[in-house]
Amino acid sequence: MSSERTDTADVPPLTEGIAPGTATDPDVSSDEPATVTVDGIEVSLDAGDTLLDAVEAVEPDESVPALCSYDRQEIGPRSECRTCMVETDAYGVVPACSFPVEDGMTVSTAAEAAAEARDVNLDLVLSDHNLRCTTCGKNGRCELQDAAIDQEVEEPRYGVLDDREEYEPIDDSSSFIQIDRNKCILCNRCVEACNDVQVEGVLRMEGSGQDTRIGFQNDAATMEESTCVSCGHCVTVCPTGSLVEKGIEDATTIPIPGFTQKNSVGKTYENSGETKGPMTPKKRPERPDADGESATADEGSSAGDDPGGVWSDDGGDWP
């Protein structure tokens, strides 16, 4: 085992393999502080705020979901779902999450055109979702479920994914994260968390039109075959049950004998039996060796003989 540090001069930056156009959002913030009126209430806002900030400050009677907006960690807004439409005096109906505030602007959340736009767009989002809440690990903690309840949706006008029988297999191959694309609303939060916040460059948005889906930048077919390091950030920002922590994927399933999250869809990509360590070799913490020099955690371990850095699940601890 070498006790010398590896020369990193030839090691590419972590961002080298990240495909462009998968994450970074345009700057939609305001340049100056502003005072706007939302549903008759004046609100003072800081530079950088959007109409959604003004709406959230007022807490109007009307529900303004903003499903693709995360508003933390510089994730979003993307204006993808358009469930946050409001009416302004100067610009008409606009998405609140990505519209910068302007001094003197008047905003109405209850305007008929804005309310109808939110309803239609929420129904469009629901049409790409299978609505199998009773077998979903996010049942009771799902933002889409909350929005549908707040908007009093009884039957989405465009149907749901279940009506079209276009299921994708559940990706259960990872030891830490389960992916069910049948619940994905393409909000892009997970892609941004993976690329912009964690700088891992694993996820991407791929395809177009109705074939648009969350995929992997290394063209892997499953999460297990991807370069995922199992940080779990994508799971924490997902507004639906599309990304769920393994171990609790059935935690909120309503008990119906023989009916689970996995068999509710049908085909599932299963784990191969081998599990990657929790971090990539280049990101494992360094520890001193017997000579007091630094070495990466896998040097000298049995796993170090495996150039792929793959550990077996057959006992033992990860380095």
Side-chain angles (χ1 to χ4, degrees), residues 38-39 51 55 60 62-66 81-89 91-96 106-123 151 157:
V38 181
D39 294 345
L51 288 183
V55 170
E62 294 288 327
S63 173
V64 182
C81 70
R82 304 281 172 139
T83 57
C84 64
M85 306 299 283
V86 296
E87 185 170 279
T88 65
D89 58 339
Y91 301 99
V93 178
V94 299
T106 298
V107 179
S108 171
T109 63
E112 183 177 351
E116 177 66 9
R118 290 196 299 272
D119 287 345
V120 168
N121 292 332
L122 179 59
D123 282 346
Q151 297 286 77
R157 70 194 77 186

Side-chain angles (χ1 to χ4, degrees), residues 164-177:
R164 302 200 301 270
E165 299 181 351
E166 297 173 345
Y167 290 130
E168 279 208 54
I170 291 177
D171 187 346
D172 202 44
S173 62
S174 164
S175 295
F176 303 98
I177 299 167

Side-chain angles (χ1 to χ4, degrees), residues 248-264:
I248 62 171
E249 62 268 37
D250 291 318
T252 52
T253 295
I254 294 177
I256 300 175
F259 202 47
T260 67
Q261 159 71 356
K262 287 171 65 173
N263 69 22
S264 71

